[in-house]
Every structure is written in structure tokens, then in C-alpha cells.
């Protein structure tokens, strides 16, 4: 299956065009950090629903300790429950633990076990709240050098590796590019189940 991930950074998304261009699913950013809702979350979700495109969500973490990871998971659950979207999520919930802007590193969160523990808290919190597919998004490098994936209870993995093949053999989703032009819109990623 060919899919795409989107956030407010993509601006307006014409979901009808995406479907016509062969996009079969989407992973939509719900938010990031301390209860920051992506400003286009509901717009993107509604675009998927109206065009019958299955979707999942991801959450970009700024958690510095386990309490903050717990709060991020609780916020995801709160948004999905109160909006009536919990049962509509068919492509999983993904925790983006990377540190692309250096926020965690600047605050001393660099230890592999500490990073793994944050992932574990988020994933297990949502499993306990009866979400079937909860997984981790990370680059191939983070999956193999920063996060102890074997400690995460067999969660789903969304691997980002901009390559002609995915070298992470246990990936459930593979993101193979960081730029894709569809219908005049440039998207951050293109993914395959």
C-alpha cells in the first residue's frame, strides 16, 4: 500500500487529488510536545474521511521524562476519545521519538535506555487504553543505535530510511523519501505498508 504522512507544515492538502494519484492511506500528525494540537489535524482527518482514505496518527515527542511521555499518551487518547476518532484509526498510532531539532539532547536526554523508556511508557499507556496498533516511528539509525526496540514488547515499527530498500527487517511501514510532489504539493514523506 502506498501512503503519505502529513502535518500543518504541508499547508492545505487536497485529499481528493491524493486519492486520485494513488495514495491509499495517510498518517496524520495529531500534535507534538505538551498538548500542542497540529493546527490542521481535524482538517486532514476530515479530508481522509470524506475521501475514504484510511488513516492513522503520529505524535512528535518532546518528553524529557516518563511523566511527560505519559502526559503525551494521555493527550493523544483525550483527543481521539473526545473527537470520536478512536474507532476510525485503522493505520495505527505512532510515537515519533527522534530529536530532529536537538531539543532532547540540549536538555540532557541522550541515554539510550532513557529514550527507550520514554517510548515504552507512551506505547504501553495506549495499549492499556485498548488501541490495537501503537508503534514507534524512527530513522534506521535511531532504530539500530539509539532505541532498544527489543524492549518495546513487539510494537509496530515505522522505519524511515531514504533508500531503494528498507534494511530494517522488522518494519511494518517504510518511509522511503522525505519529499514527494503530488498535485503541486510537496510532502515530507512517502510511506508503504
Amino acid at each position: 500500500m502506498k501512503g503519505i504522512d502529513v502535518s500543518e507544515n504541508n499547508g492545505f492538502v487536497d485529499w481528493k487529488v491524493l486519492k486520485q494519484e494513488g495514495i491509499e492511506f495517510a498518517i496524520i500528525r495529531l500534535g507534538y510536545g505538551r498538548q500542542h494540537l497540529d493546527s490542521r489535524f481535524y482538517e486532514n482527518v476530515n479530508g481522509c474521511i470524506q475521501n475514504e482514505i484510511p488513516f492513522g496518527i503520529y505524535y512528535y515527542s518532546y518528553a524529557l521524562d516518563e511523566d511527560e511521555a505519559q502526559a503525551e499518551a494521555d493527550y493523544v487518547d483525550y483527543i481521539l476519545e473526545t473527537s470520536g476518532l478512536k474507532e476510525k484509526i485503522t493505520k495505527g498510532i505512532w510515537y515519533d521519538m527522534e530529536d530532529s531539532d536537538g531539543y532532547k539532547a540540549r536538555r540532557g536526554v541522550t541515554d539510550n535506555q532513557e529514550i527507550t523508556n520514554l517510548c515504552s511508557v507512551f506505547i504501553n499507556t495506549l495499549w492499556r487504553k485498548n488501541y490495537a496498533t501503537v508503534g514507534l516511528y524512527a530513522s534506521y539509525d535511531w532504530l539500530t543505535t539509539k532505541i532498544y526496540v527489543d524492549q518495546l514488547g513487539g510494537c509496530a515499527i515505522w522505519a524511515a530510511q531514504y533508500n531503494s530498500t528498507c534494511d530494517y527487517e522488522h518494519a511494518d511501514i517504510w518511509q522511503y523519501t522525505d519529499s514527494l510532489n503530488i498535485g503541486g504539493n510537496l510532502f515530507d514523506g512517502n510511506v508503504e505498508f
Side-chain angles (χ1 to χ4, degrees), residues 30 57 73-90 92-94 122-135:
L30 185 143
I57 64 100
D74 288 340
Y75 181 65
V76 167
D77 178 57
Y78 170 78
I79 294 297
L80 296 177
E81 280 283 356
T82 59
S83 64
L85 292 172
K86 183 173 183 174
E87 304 305 321
K88 294 184 179 222
I89 301 289
T90 61
I93 297 172
W94 305 90
F122 182 92
I123 291 165
N124 281 295
T125 296
L126 291 174
W127 274 342
R128 283 191 302 275
K129 293 177 184 278
N130 297 314
Y131 290 92
T133 303
V134 183

Side-chain angles (χ1 to χ4, degrees), residues 6 10 14 16 20 26 30 47 76 115 124 131 137 153 160:
V6 299
N10 297 107
D14 189 332
K16 184 176 181 181
Q20 291 168 348
L30 185 143
V76 167
I115 291 167
N124 281 295
Y131 290 92
Y137 167 86

Side-chain angles (χ1 to χ4, degrees), residues 33 59-65 68 72 95-111 114-115 118-119 142:
Y59 199 82
Y60 187 89
S61 176
Y62 280 103
L64 299 176
D65 60 39
E68 290 181 6
E72 289 178 338
Y95 196 44
D96 186 344
M97 177 43 71
E98 288 192 320
D99 195 20
S100 60
D101 60 4
Y103 178 86
K104 293 180 194 81
R106 287 191 307 273
R107 287 156 180 82
V109 179
T110 58
D111 178 74
E114 184 177 17
I115 291 167
L118 298 176
C119 297
W142 271 61

Side-chain angles (χ1 to χ4, degrees), residues 12-27:
F12 171 76
V13 175
D14 189 332
W15 290 99
K16 184 176 181 181
V17 169
L18 288 181
K19 185 163 186 173
Q20 291 168 348
E21 294 290 328
I23 296 301
E24 299 170 273
F25 73 96
I27 310 294

Side-chain angles (χ1 to χ4, degrees), residues 37-56:
L37 185 68
D38 186 291
S39 65
R40 293 192 180 261
F41 174 68
Y42 290 114
E43 177 183 312
N44 286 325
V45 165
N46 288 330
C48 283
I49 291 170
Q50 291 164 2
N51 289 281
E52 299 178 342
I53 299 172
F55 65 93

